[in-house]
Amino acid sequence: MLNNSFLGRFMNRSPINNKGFSLIEVMILVIILNLIVGFGFDILNSTLDRNQYTHTKTRLAEFKKVIARYYAKNNKLPCPADGTKIFGDANHGRSVVDANTGSCVGLAASGGVVRTETAPGSGIWMRQGTIPNRTLGMSDDMMYDEFNMKYTYVVMEQFTDAPVTSDGSIIINDGAGSSPTDTDHYFTDKAVYLILTHGKDRIGSYSPAGTVNPCTNKTALERDAENCNNDTIFSSGHYNDLERESPEWFDDILGWVSKDELAGVAAASSGG
């Protein structure tokens, strides 16, 4: 078969009788080589993406266990860290709390920590920042995702100073509804906290230098745009990083916990 093919003739051409190739033959060879190289890169990128996704899911599960142990010990959830703090700063990776009370309840938003009321006048607040790895007793490398950006951490403020005795109010939908509040497309509207990576586009996340890649860099068409607008609604869904600036683009990976799951993981973590 090889001897009768174009590549076969190319490989078996005698150096003595070689009179060169025609322009068409050269063009065909270049096209074939480009296809082979491109296919190889696609396989490599696909493998890297799968590895990043798998490692991130493993990391999120680890965070859940560590936070559950913190909760079992302190009877409250940790406050977020400030994503603008950099390595070398004493507050890098530490929960932002009031120096006198040790609490973040009622503490004004500042730096890389956002405070959002779940509904106007509700008096129920959500705090968003980055994972407080040092407060949780984790190494600094645990703060960063597969794209070298800080994990985002969102928590119901009321549970950072008291036990979780009721459902949370953080909403996670599938991004496919007619609006973010389309309840037919909710995964949950009772999360007490969530952790997420903003994926390979890095939009919405903080860098090691303490700068944020703003949500304004994301088109509203992208399904994960909901995850960087600092409200109490988030989207999860099927990972798809092949169609940027389309309704199908979704490169964020989320992990969230309800009141009941927290109790179960905390009990298991403490040996209860």
Side-chain angles (χ1 to χ4, degrees):
M1 279 297 286
L2 185 62
N3 289 334
N4 294 325
S5 67
F6 167 71
L7 287 177
R9 294 196 305 275
F10 171 78
M11 295 173 65
N12 294 323
R13 187 182 292 264
S14 170
I16 297 176
N17 299 321
N18 187 358
K19 296 181 180 180
F21 296 97
S22 70
L23 179 60
I24 293 178
E25 287 178 318
V26 172
M27 290 175 65
I28 292 174
L29 181 60
V30 169
I31 291 172
I32 292 173
L33 290 175
N34 282 338
L35 288 173
I36 293 172
V37 171
F39 185 66
F41 276 121
D42 285 344
I43 293 176
L44 176 61
N45 288 333
S46 178
T47 301
L48 289 173
D49 285 346
R50 284 198 302 271
N51 289 342
Q52 289 171 331
Y53 179 84
T54 300
H55 186 269
T56 298
K57 296 294 284 187
T58 301
R59 178 65 59 84
L60 292 176
E62 188 172 353
F63 281 139
K64 287 183 180 182
K65 292 179 181 178
V66 173
I67 291 175
R69 287 197 293 269
Y70 178 95
Y71 179 76
K73 179 180 179 180
N74 298 282
N75 219 20
K76 62 181 181 179
L77 292 170
C79 297
D82 182 347
T84 66
K85 303 301 182 184
I86 63 174
F87 185 78
D89 190 299
N91 293 315
H92 178 254
R94 299 191 186 280
S95 294
V96 177
V97 297
D98 185 275
N100 296 316
T101 65
S103 170
C104 62
V105 172
L107 197 64
S110 63
V113 177
V114 176
R115 187 174 187 249
T116 306
E117 197 169 17
T118 57
S122 68
I124 301 174
W125 297 84
M126 174 205 78
R127 299 187 76 85
Q128 177 173 324
T130 54
I131 193 75
N133 60 294
R134 292 187 178 180
T135 298
L136 293 169
M138 306 175 81
S139 61
D140 283 342
D141 66 298
M142 296 293 286
M143 173 185 284
Y144 299 101
D145 62 18
E146 289 292 290
F147 311 98
N148 198 35
M149 302 296 277
K150 298 176 183 179
Y151 280 96
T152 294
Y153 170 61
V154 185
V155 63
M156 297 300 302
E157 184 178 274
Q158 68 200 82
F159 300 135
T160 63
D161 199 38
V164 179
T165 56
S166 60
D167 292 325
S169 303
I170 300 172
I171 296 170
I172 296 97
N173 62 37
D174 64 6
S178 58
S179 73
T181 55
D182 183 352
T183 56
D184 289 337
H185 291 268
Y186 279 7
F187 284 118
T188 182
D189 58 355
K190 298 178 173 61
V192 296
Y193 78 81
L194 71 83
I195 304 170
L196 71 98
T197 168
H198 294 276
K200 66 194 302 182
D201 68 10
R202 299 173 174 83
I203 296 178
S205 56
Y206 279 87
S207 72
T211 57
V212 66
N213 193 346
C215 198
T216 52
N217 289 338
K218 183 175 285 292
T219 169
L221 284 175
E222 297 170 31
R223 288 175 54 208
D224 56 0
E226 188 62 57
N227 295 339
C228 65
N229 60 3
N230 297 330
D231 65 9
T232 60
I233 301 174
F234 297 83
S235 289
S236 185
H238 179 66
Y239 190 86
N240 178 5
D241 61 358
L242 300 178
E243 300 176 69
R244 184 70 196 278
E245 297 186 1
S246 81
E248 300 305 315
W249 174 272
F250 193 89
D251 69 338
D252 293 6
I253 306 174
L254 288 72
W256 63 86
V257 169
S258 66
K259 172 177 71 72
D260 293 338
E261 183 181 0
L262 176 65
V265 177
S269 299
S270 61

